[in-house]
Amino acid sequence: MAISKVSPESLFPVKGVRLATAATGIRYQHRDDLLLMEICKHARTAAVFTTNQFCAAPVIVCKRHLGTVQPKYLLVNAGNANAGLGAQGIADTCAACTALARESGCNESEVLPFSTGIIGERLDVEKMTPYYAQLIGHLEEDGWVAAAKAIMTTDTVSKGFSKQVKLDGHTVVVTGIAKGSGMIYPDMATMLAFVATDLGFDSRSVVSVLSDAVRQSFHCVTVDGDTSTNDACVLIATGQAGIDFSELSERARVEFIRTLDSLFLDLAQSIVRDAEGITKYICISVDQAPSESMARNIAFTVAHSPLVKTMAYASDPNWGRIMAAAGRAKAGPLEMNRLSLYINGLKVVTNGKLASGYTEEAGIQAMQNDEIEFRLELGLGSCSARVWTSDLSHEYVKINAEYRS
Amino acid sequence: MAISKVSPESLFPVKGVRLATAATGIRYQHRDDLLLMEICKHARTAAVFTTNQFCAAPVIVCKRHLGTVQPKYLLVNAGNANAGLGAQGIADTCAACTALARESGCNESEVLPFSTGIIGERLDVEKMTPYYAQLIGHLEEDGWVAAAKAIMTTDTVSKGFSKQVKLDGHTVVVTGIAKGSGMIYPDMATMLAFVATDLGFDSRSVVSVLSDAVRQSFHCVTVDGDTSTNDACVLIATGQAGIDFSELSERARVEFIRTLDSLFLDLAQSIVRDAEGITKYICISVDQAPSESMARNIAFTVAHSPLVKTMAYASDPNWGRIMAAAGRAKAGPLEMNRLSLYINGLKVVTNGKLASGYTEEAGIQAMQNDEIEFRLELGLGSCSARVWTSDLSHEYVKINAEYRS
């Protein structure tokens, strides 16, 4: 594995959020696979979910509960997606919420359920129930690192980031964890991600801040173009830092948004860096486009091309494949004689043809890096987009052909 | 390699079309790589080309020439695509046409040039010129089998089909050859294909007959979703059978169209059967859709899913991946509780959930075949679509990572 992967060793606690994990043995042995997150009173929580119409039972129930009240608990199980089970899946998810509500004394609609893992096998919620009392008893603010581990499925490392920022004299924390390494394509929060801050928010602002952050992060990554049935991304604002977003100075607001956005991007990129079978971490940049949507469309078409992904795996500067992928994007008219292509800064194509001075040797050299940027300049405008993806390796085929995730 | 592949051993000649091949050594050694097809006077020729905006020089020149006069020669080289070379590529293609025109005494616009092979390397047309006299001298009606071989690149077998049909007392022939095994996705004739019939046509009818045939064949196959820069499909109607399409009885016309369409489908499917790294030949059928376009959209989304392709490779009935791919298709609203899925006739999902009586063992059994049909019934209407694709194997990665095509 060429890409360095770092698990979080410590993450700042967020006042107002407590976590606990347990090992139920539903699918995995000898590891935690159940996470309980408790959210304090007066917090504001927003979530975005998969756009996949074949969405899992917990996604349906989450949306229903979130529309009613502010949640008190997030309940996350790893190893079983509880998807593709029709009414039975919904009933099982509701039963899990009810059991936790009974144990904790809250209303079942105050529980948001999340599942990730294999599709089509019934979730044995009875195996979870005996652990609720223990989880509630062990809730602690410092549980983020263990939580990041408990939600993993095919992930090879746990994913978490934490930032502390001084805003108008107040110290504010943002901490987030995520899981995911296959069935990754944006179009809604891809995978599971839980981010919390102790800054205060009103209900409307927390939704718009989450939506903006997701657009610039999880919506800019892809592994295989397959959108999961269970994707969800949650932002919790506890307000325990003693200050509200609306009370901040303009400068501090910008600073907070920048901090939050960069944490979301860190999480999203950490999923690509842990992509199934990855040996190359690839950034596709499209510049000089007439619109952002055109730039995004071209970048994703290149990112999804199996021919581009295999040439990256081979460290082969087979640049015609990138041009061909850009040319087939249904993105609007291109002027091929204005198009330029750079591989890790090396000019390969100018005005639609091979750059003078380009040599195959230099191209091969540029492709050796573990991190590769393919940058296209369209020469048609001033808009840009960047997306991140992984290569297509033997290991990818092996993982997806040989294992059930 | 599990899929049986059969090279054509003999193909019916088509009166009015003569062929010759030669070995120029431009890229390949010890094999023919240059094809000349001569078309008789009064024939009618139509062609469709790639929609890729990064299209190759010969595609641009072909379109230009075809707009002016009926072609007399098709000149096809294999091993070099003459793509991504800007004005130089156009100049080289034109030079090849001019040299052939000079040798044969025709106008250069009567020559249609086709190239297939590596992108971005200059085509050495000087190496082709010395062979024109020899090619013209050796033209023969019986040259189809050799022609099918001469246009191959990464193909492992040559592809050709031939049909003879009795129409209102006249014997009519349709013969076609094709090449292609990677960078395959419809959206215009995928790859190179040349089909000829001795039935007569007017200029308008030959275009519409070709367009209909392509829609039901080459536009229904995909290997990797990558549309080539050089795709072209040509239909030549020589009129040498002594009868014209317009003079046929209604019944004979239907019979001819059916014959032509099935030959196109044979050619298109033969490309998928020879797909890079194929071990499973997959048909995705979508039935009971409210529209054909929705059915096609879902079928292609499933066909392009790397997770579906790898589960086929593994003979793993991981049906959730098929449902998840269908669910993420941007095709319009589905009702998941009406959806059914069959794997090679085995009922796996009914009403959006696992079929009662389905067993993992039966699913594994159904996936063992070299040819697999995934059939989705949407329960929303009466429209259907079928597309054909290949699996994603270690060999696919190897071919595309290790070799330049």
Side-chain angles (χ1 to χ4, degrees):
Chain A
M1 194 65 60
I3 308 299
S4 66
K5 299 175 180 183
V6 183
S7 278
E9 288 181 15
S10 72
L11 295 166
F12 297 122
V14 179
K15 271 170 285 178
V17 174
R18 298 196 303 160
L19 313 93
T21 58
T24 68
I26 285 182
R27 182 171 187 88
Y28 306 116
Q29 305 305 318
H30 315 301
R31 55 156 278 197
D32 288 352
D33 59 359
L34 187 63
L35 164 65
L36 184 68
M37 288 178 74
E38 180 207 54
I39 305 169
C40 67
K41 269 192 188 171
H42 309 304
R44 290 290 172 266
T45 301
V48 282
F49 297 97
T50 181
T51 53
N52 197 317
Q53 297 189 67
F54 183 62
C55 68
V59 169
I60 294 165
V61 174
C62 260
K63 284 181 182 172
R64 197 186 293 163
H65 288 186
L66 201 56
T68 341
V69 288
Q70 280 296 321
K72 183 164 181 195
Y73 290 108
L74 310 188
L75 180 66
V76 193
N77 74 280
N80 186 309
N82 191 8
L85 295 149
Q88 183 68 61
I90 306 271
D92 288 339
T93 286
C94 288
C97 295
T98 306
L100 178 62
R102 192 172 301 139
E103 189 67 43
S104 65
C106 74
N107 192 297
E108 76 166 81
S109 60
E110 291 175 297
V111 180
L112 295 188
F114 302 86
S115 297
T116 174
I118 190 161
I119 295 175
E121 289 185 10
R122 201 176 153 190
L123 175 62
D124 189 351
V125 291
E126 293 301 325
K127 282 202 173 166
M128 290 157 56
T129 315
Y131 293 92
Y132 294 151
Q134 170 194 325
L135 286 168
I136 293 166
H138 287 81
L139 285 165
E140 53 169 352
E141 286 195 342
D142 213 14
W144 286 92
V145 172
K149 290 198 177 87
I151 61 174
M152 290 166 66
T153 58
T154 58
D155 309 64
T156 68
V157 292
S158 59
K159 293 150 187 96
F161 292 90
S162 209
K163 292 176 198 277
Q164 225 178 34
V165 59
K166 205 94 175 174
L167 301 174
D168 295 344
H170 295 76
T171 300
V172 167
V173 170
V174 188
T175 293
I177 58 173
K179 63 84 40 182
S181 70
M183 221 185 237
I184 294 294
Y185 180 47
D187 237 344
M188 194 40 34
T190 312
M191 36 64 306
L192 296 182
F194 304 98
V195 179
T197 179
D198 49 6
L199 188 64
F201 271 91
D202 61 50
S203 303
R204 182 182 291 185
S205 302
V206 73
V207 169
S208 77
V209 162
L210 171 63
S211 154
D212 285 350
V214 165
R215 190 170 52 78
Q216 298 165 47
S217 56
F218 294 115
H219 283 190
C220 296
V221 298
T222 179
V223 169
D224 45 24
D226 276 302
T227 308
S228 154
T229 52
N230 292 57
D231 294 346
C233 180
V234 178
L235 176 62
I236 303 158
T238 66
Q240 300 289 305
I243 185 157
D244 201 89
F245 183 70
S246 62
E247 301 162 346
L248 290 177
S249 65
E250 180 61 26
R251 198 174 126 181
R253 283 194 208 190
V254 169
E255 173 78 3
F256 177 77
I257 295 295
R258 191 181 297 140
T259 304
L260 188 77
D261 287 352
S262 89
L263 184 129
F264 268 79
L265 192 57
D266 285 344
L267 283 173
Q269 292 183 342
S270 73
I271 286 174
V272 176
R273 284 178 196 277
D274 193 25
E276 290 172 345
I278 190 171
T279 78
K280 300 274 187 182
Y281 177 73
I282 305 166
C283 175
I284 320 278
S285 302
V286 177
D287 292 330
Q288 301 176 4
S291 69
E292 192 194 320
S293 74
M294 180 169 176
R296 272 177 70 85
N297 187 325
I298 292 174
F300 270 117
T301 305
V302 173
H304 285 147
S305 163
L307 294 175
V308 172
K309 283 168 169 288
T310 45
M311 68 171 259
Y313 175 48
S315 303
D316 179 4
N318 199 343
W319 56 272
R321 293 184 179 179
I322 299 168
M323 301 293 282
R328 76 175 161 85
K330 298 276 169 278
L334 294 174
E335 291 187 34
M336 279 300 166
N337 59 3
R338 291 191 181 196
L339 220 147
S340 297
L341 168 66
Y342 298 79
I343 299 181
N344 269 0
L346 176 72
K347 188 182 275 193
V348 180
V349 173
T350 26
N351 303 328
K353 58 178 198 285
L354 208 55
S356 64
Y358 170 79
T359 63
E360 183 78 0
E361 292 66 40
I364 290 169
Q365 194 55 44
M367 294 288 294
Q368 295 305 311
N369 287 14
D370 297 340
E371 306 205 358
I372 302 178
E373 185 197 44
F374 298 132
R375 189 159 69 81
L376 284 160
E377 289 178 354
L378 306 187
L380 299 174
S382 56
C383 297
S384 293
R386 284 204 290 175
V387 310
W388 290 269
T389 191
S390 51
D391 57 343
L392 173 52
S393 67
H394 282 299
E395 191 65 17
Y396 176 87
V397 174
K398 193 173 171 190
I399 290 169
N400 283 295
E402 296 181 10
Y403 307 124
R404 286 272 182 118
S405 53
Chain B
M1 194 64 62
I3 308 299
S4 65
K5 299 176 180 182
V6 184
S7 276
E9 288 181 15
S10 73
L11 295 166
F12 298 121
V14 180
K15 272 169 284 176
V17 174
R18 299 196 303 161
L19 313 93
T21 58
T24 68
I26 285 180
R27 181 168 187 89
Y28 305 118
Q29 305 304 317
H30 316 299
R31 56 156 278 196
D32 289 351
D33 59 358
L34 187 63
L35 163 66
L36 185 66
M37 289 178 75
E38 179 206 56
I39 305 168
C40 67
K41 268 191 189 170
H42 309 303
R44 290 289 172 266
T45 301
V48 281
F49 297 97
T50 181
T51 53
N52 196 314
Q53 296 188 67
F54 182 61
C55 68
V59 169
I60 294 165
V61 173
C62 260
K63 286 182 181 171
R64 196 186 292 162
H65 286 185
L66 201 57
T68 342
V69 289
Q70 280 295 322
K72 185 166 180 191
Y73 292 107
L74 310 188
L75 181 66
V76 192
N77 74 280
N80 185 307
N82 192 8
L85 296 148
Q88 183 68 60
I90 306 271
D92 289 338
T93 286
C94 288
C97 296
T98 305
L100 177 63
R102 191 174 300 137
E103 190 67 42
S104 65
C106 74
N107 191 297
E108 75 166 82
S109 59
E110 291 174 298
V111 179
L112 295 188
F114 302 85
S115 297
T116 175
I118 190 161
I119 295 174
E121 287 186 11
R122 200 174 153 191
L123 174 62
D124 189 351
V125 291
E126 293 300 324
K127 282 201 174 167
M128 290 156 59
T129 315
Y131 293 91
Y132 295 150
Q134 169 195 324
L135 286 167
I136 293 166
H138 287 81
L139 285 164
E140 51 170 354
E141 286 195 341
D142 214 14
W144 286 92
V145 172
K149 291 198 177 88
I151 61 174
M152 291 164 66
T153 57
T154 57
D155 308 65
T156 68
V157 292
S158 60
K159 292 145 189 104
F161 294 89
S162 207
K163 293 177 197 275
Q164 225 175 34
V165 60
K166 206 92 175 176
L167 301 173
D168 296 344
H170 295 77
T171 301
V172 167
V173 170
V174 188
T175 293
I177 58 174
K179 63 85 36 182
S181 69
M183 221 185 235
I184 294 293
Y185 180 47
D187 236 343
M188 193 41 32
T190 313
M191 34 75 291
L192 296 182
F194 306 98
V195 179
T197 178
D198 50 5
L199 188 64
F201 271 91
D202 63 49
S203 304
R204 182 181 291 183
S205 302
V206 73
V207 169
S208 76
V209 163
L210 171 64
S211 154
D212 285 351
V214 165
R215 189 170 51 79
Q216 298 165 47
S217 56
F218 294 114
H219 283 192
C220 295
V221 298
T222 179
V223 170
D224 45 23
D226 275 303
T227 308
S228 152
T229 52
N230 292 57
D231 295 346
C233 179
V234 179
L235 176 62
I236 303 158
T238 66
Q240 300 288 304
I243 186 158
D244 200 274
F245 183 70
S246 63
E247 301 161 347
L248 290 177
S249 64
E250 181 60 26
R251 198 173 125 182
R253 280 194 209 189
V254 169
E255 173 77 4
F256 176 78
I257 294 296
R258 192 181 297 142
T259 305
L260 188 77
D261 286 353
S262 88
L263 184 130
F264 268 80
L265 192 56
D266 285 344
L267 283 173
Q269 294 183 340
S270 72
I271 286 174
V272 177
R273 284 178 197 278
D274 194 24
E276 290 171 346
I278 189 172
T279 78
K280 301 273 188 184
Y281 176 73
I282 306 165
C283 176
I284 320 277
S285 301
V286 177
D287 292 329
Q288 301 176 2
S291 69
E292 193 194 319
S293 74
M294 180 169 175
R296 273 178 69 85
N297 187 325
I298 291 173
F300 270 117
T301 304
V302 173
H304 285 147
S305 161
L307 294 176
V308 171
K309 283 169 169 285
T310 44
M311 70 172 256
Y313 175 50
S315 303
D316 178 4
N318 198 343
W319 56 272
R321 293 184 181 180
I322 299 169
M323 302 291 282
R328 75 173 160 87
K330 297 274 168 279
L334 294 174
E335 293 187 33
M336 279 300 166
N337 58 5
R338 292 192 180 196
L339 220 147
S340 297
L341 169 67
Y342 299 79
I343 298 180
N344 270 0
L346 176 73
K347 188 182 274 192
V348 181
V349 173
T350 25
N351 303 329
K353 59 179 197 285
L354 209 54
S356 64
Y358 170 80
T359 62
E360 182 80 359
E361 294 64 40
I364 290 169
Q365 194 55 43
M367 294 287 296
Q368 294 305 311
N369 286 15
D370 297 340
E371 306 205 357
I372 302 178
E373 186 199 42
F374 298 133
R375 189 160 68 80
L376 284 161
E377 290 177 353
L378 305 188
L380 299 174
S382 57
C383 296
S384 293
R386 284 203 290 173
V387 310
W388 290 269
T389 191
S390 51
D391 58 340
L392 174 52
S393 65
H394 283 300
E395 192 65 17
Y396 176 87
V397 174
K398 193 173 173 192
I399 290 168
N400 284 295
E402 295 182 8
Y403 307 124
R404 286 273 183 117
S405 53

